[in-house]
Amino acid sequence: MSSWSSFSQTYVNPENLKIAEQQVDAFMGMFNRIMTACRDKCIPNHYHEPDLNKGEQKCIDRCTAKYMSIQMIMGERMKHMSPLAEPIDNNNNKDSFTPDPL
């Protein structure tokens, strides 16, 4: 009996693999856009020291946080605009506040 028999290749659904590749591509694209935008905004073209100073670090932290928050907002809006989105029932929305009648 071979010791490799328990580690044989398992079947990978090609559709799942394709989805995973798309997710990695989307993540890397977003990462590269964040890096480019925040680097151009926060780090000068001519380096004076090998490490980031405190101001540059804070700028990058804020830039990244703003970029991510905008991406989340846009993702939520696009999800609601999708033709596959569930219709919103305004009469039975538990998230909205409606005062009780007196």
Side-chain angles (χ1 to χ4, degrees):
M1 179 183 253
S2 172
S3 63
W4 294 103
S5 64
S6 62
F7 296 108
S8 66
Q9 288 185 337
T10 59
Y11 174 75
V12 176
N13 185 350
E15 185 64 31
N16 290 345
L17 186 60
K18 184 178 179 182
I19 292 170
E21 288 174 349
Q22 290 172 346
Q23 289 175 343
V24 168
D25 289 342
F27 174 79
M28 290 305 298
M30 184 175 67
F31 177 79
N32 288 331
R33 286 189 301 274
I34 290 172
M35 287 298 299
T36 301
C38 294
R39 183 184 60 233
D40 291 346
K41 180 180 178 186
C42 300
I43 301 173
N45 291 334
H46 302 290
Y47 302 115
H48 300 290
E49 48 196 57
D51 296 328
L52 296 175
N53 63 37
K54 192 150 187 107
E56 292 168 341
Q57 290 175 6
K58 284 185 177 183
C59 181
I60 290 175
D61 287 343
R62 289 180 182 146
C63 179
T64 304
K66 287 179 183 179
Y67 199 96
M68 292 301 294
S69 67
I70 292 297
Q71 290 295 318
M72 295 295 287
I73 291 169
M74 288 175 54
E76 287 296 319
R77 287 189 180 173
M78 291 180 78
K79 185 168 52 172
H80 292 299
M81 292 172 55
S82 170
L84 300 176
E86 296 178 11
I88 298 173
D89 184 6
N90 290 332
N91 295 332
N92 196 14
N93 190 355
K94 296 178 182 178
D95 292 336
S96 63
F97 174 75
T98 55
D100 292 330
L102 297 175

